[in-house]
Amino acid sequence: MGVDLGVELAGLNLRTPLILASGILGLSGRLLVEISRIEDVGAVTTKSIGLKPRDGYPNPTIAVLPYGFINSMGLPNPGVDFFLKELDEAGSFGSPLIASFYGYSIEEIAETARIIASHPSVSALELNVSCPHVSGISEIGVKPELVAEAVSKVKKEVGKPLFVKLSPNTHLIVDVARAAAEAGADGLTAVNTVKAIAIDAELCKPILSGVYGGLSGPALKPIALRCVYEIYEEVEIPIIGCGGVSSYLDVVEFILAGASAVALGSVIALKGIMVFRELARGLSEYLERKGVRSVEEIVGLSHR
Ligand code: SIN
């Protein structure tokens, strides 16, 4: 029996439901193109891009824990103009490119979206309103009315699909998801990292120079899964599940909770880029074992 791993996501055709999450492999156009051409990669997402270049925080920016990472990068990026030049020289993508972006105000979000979306290599946008350790970003993402305003402004200016990456650091996540959907978002990415801290017991101070960071990796998975499950109950647009995936069973669980696609982040740092192949094979074998012909048949199945 042939199992079809292809999924349709807000008008994008993905070879598999496995997406490179934002922030994992940066903004090099050539690297993103190379990854996009790997057979089992469904789509690739850039690191978040702002209107102007941003340095980010000094080291240390990552704390490695037995159950995940806490990062406090501080959104370092070279800005939109540099990124568009990168894309000009990158070659053609083998799977859709999702450009992640942020802004400190509704106007800046809309302007950044318009500039990035003008590049023909960009298939879709992902609005990051959920970075837990850069002030001015997650303040927008925890207010449903501000997210709605940002989404409708971007949708007026940009014809490409828009995903909103949600914060787990609020009990209002479903309200934010609903507000984004009602304002015209084409999909939701659930979730960004959980605000966290690591303390050095010898130095008696926080490890990260930015003090707070975002927890990713296996510790995040049950929280992310719960968020996807709750959002799926209330909102109809597609969800990209994101947070702590490290095995094909994690991928399956996110899909059963309601995700149409699943983004891989920290696991790439641990296992390398070919983890896409391992998870795609595992997913395919699981579907075959269950007598299911396509991923879409099991999206949200745990609710029924
Ligand atoms: C960062 O670059 O600081 C991480 C981005 C994020 O958590 O959204």
Side-chain angles (χ1 to χ4, degrees):
M1 185 178 92
V3 175
D4 177 13
L5 286 190
V7 293
E8 193 269 335
L9 181 74
L12 306 175
N13 289 315
L14 275 53
R15 283 189 297 250
T16 77
L18 305 178
I19 298 177
L20 171 69
S22 175
I24 305 304
L25 290 171
L27 277 166
S28 148
R30 290 207 177 116
L31 180 62
L32 289 167
V33 162
E34 212 175 300
I35 295 162
S36 76
R37 292 180 183 170
I38 296 172
E39 205 186 331
D40 302 296
V41 172
V44 292
T45 314
T46 66
K47 175 144 188 68
S48 298
I49 307 153
L51 196 56
K52 300 268 178 286
R54 199 188 135 88
D55 285 340
Y57 301 134
N59 284 327
T61 50
I62 297 216
V64 182
L65 308 172
Y67 37 80
F69 300 102
I70 302 181
N71 93 77
S72 183
M73 307 302 292
L75 291 170
N77 77 95
V80 270
D81 295 341
F82 182 95
F83 179 61
L84 292 194
K85 285 197 202 105
E86 274 290 297
L87 288 185
D88 284 343
E89 289 158 18
S92 57
F93 281 78
S95 52
L97 171 68
I98 304 172
S100 167
F101 71 105
Y102 65 89
Y104 299 99
S105 66
I106 307 295
E107 289 65 34
E108 194 176 305
I109 286 172
E111 189 184 351
T112 311
R114 187 177 47 73
I115 298 171
I116 299 176
S118 68
H119 200 284
S121 292
V122 172
S123 298
L125 298 177
E126 182 180 84
L127 172 59
N128 179 355
V129 282
S130 45
C131 175
H133 47 78
V134 172
S135 68
I137 303 296
S138 61
E139 286 82 349
I140 297 176
V142 295
K143 296 201 182 79
E145 64 286 358
L146 288 185
V147 171
E149 204 182 327
V151 167
S152 64
K153 205 144 189 163
V154 171
K155 286 305 290 182
K156 271 194 200 108
E157 311 225 3
V158 172
K160 294 180 178 175
L162 173 67
F163 298 90
V164 179
K165 188 161 187 178
L166 300 170
S167 172
N169 302 304
T170 168
H171 64 282
L172 294 179
I173 186 164
V174 175
D175 302 81
V176 175
R178 196 183 300 108
E182 284 170 6
D186 301 279
L188 302 162
T189 305
V191 287
N192 208 321
T193 52
V194 166
K195 188 173 182 180
I197 196 167
I199 290 181
D200 187 314
E202 288 307 317
L203 299 177
C204 304
K205 57 186 227 155
I207 291 176
L208 301 166
S209 74
V211 180
Y212 298 106
L215 176 67
S216 63
L220 175 59
K221 196 202 87 181
I223 299 168
L225 199 60
R226 182 267 297 169
C227 292
V228 169
Y229 191 94
E230 285 184 344
I231 295 165
Y232 184 82
E233 294 259 303
E234 299 289 332
V235 180
E236 306 233 311
I237 57 176
I239 304 166
I240 301 172
C242 181
V245 167
S246 53
S247 69
Y248 83 87
L249 281 174
D250 294 336
V251 173
V252 169
E253 289 171 27
F254 271 102
I255 297 170
L256 294 173
S260 297
V262 178
L264 310 185
S266 300
V267 68
I268 293 169
L270 296 169
K271 290 190 175 178
I273 199 69
M274 292 321 284
V275 72
F276 276 93
R277 170 146 308 162
E278 175 195 322
L279 301 194
R281 281 200 183 138
L283 176 61
S284 179
E285 280 163 24
Y286 170 87
L287 294 175
E288 192 147 359
R289 181 158 57 79
K290 290 283 183 187
V292 172
R293 283 188 175 273
S294 75
V295 173
E296 274 145 11
E297 279 182 51
I298 64 158
V299 173
L301 192 63
S302 69
H303 297 257
R304 301 200 272 276

